[in-house]
Amino acid sequence: MINWNPFNHPSQIEEIIELSKDKACVIFKHSSRCPISSMAKFRLEGSWDFVEDEVHSFFIDVITDRPISQLIAQTFGIPHESPQVLLIKDGQCIHHSSHLDITVRELRGVFGNSH
């Protein structure tokens, strides 16, 4: 089960960058107005098999927190999409995917190569 940490304040960018130096961080950008985003979230949550001490997971609602979502895109140099998942390790985005390409299997593959 995913223990989502809300991502709703710009200062959290620096917190995530620092946290990612110790443990990978996943940021999920979700649009509450998009059925594809809801499906991607449902699939991600349904197959989530990371344990809490393996990865930090953050959730942002791009409808209510669009400026923060844009700040994420600028900070990591990744064009904004929704839904979108970013995998942050050592302060860098080492993987991103969007829409139905968001899967735990893909994250596991990249995550396994980042140690």
Side-chain angles (χ1 to χ4, degrees):
M1 176 179 212
I2 298 178
N3 182 20
W4 291 120
N5 294 293
F7 190 164
N8 51 19
H9 195 275
S11 67
Q12 286 178 275
I13 289 268
E14 289 305 317
E15 175 188 343
I16 289 170
I17 288 170
E18 286 305 310
L19 286 171
S20 77
K21 294 175 182 176
D22 180 49
K23 187 180 352 178
C25 296
V26 169
I27 301 171
F28 182 75
K29 295 167 102 181
H30 174 67
S31 169
S32 55
R33 296 182 187 160
C34 174
I36 292 173
S37 189
S38 294
M39 180 181 287
K41 181 177 179 281
F42 177 78
R43 287 176 36 179
L44 188 64
E45 290 175 338
S47 58
W48 191 259
D49 62 356
F50 292 100
V51 292
E52 274 192 60
D53 64 346
E54 219 175 349
V55 64
H56 295 287
S57 50
F58 294 88
F59 179 90
I60 180 168
D61 182 333
V62 299
I63 302 301
T64 58
D65 293 307
R66 175 143 329 257
I68 297 170
S69 180
Q70 297 294 42
L71 181 60
I72 292 168
Q74 289 174 331
T75 300
F76 296 110
I78 305 299
H80 166 77
E81 294 191 65
S82 175
Q84 184 177 47
V85 69
L86 293 87
L87 181 59
I88 312 301
K89 183 70 177 151
D90 297 321
Q92 303 292 316
C93 181
I94 62 168
H95 172 78
H96 63 95
S97 56
S98 65
H99 297 82
L100 298 181
D101 290 334
I102 298 170
T103 66
V104 168
R105 175 188 237 170
E106 189 170 337
L107 288 173
R108 271 262 170 234
V110 175
F111 184 78
N113 295 328
S114 69
H115 291 310

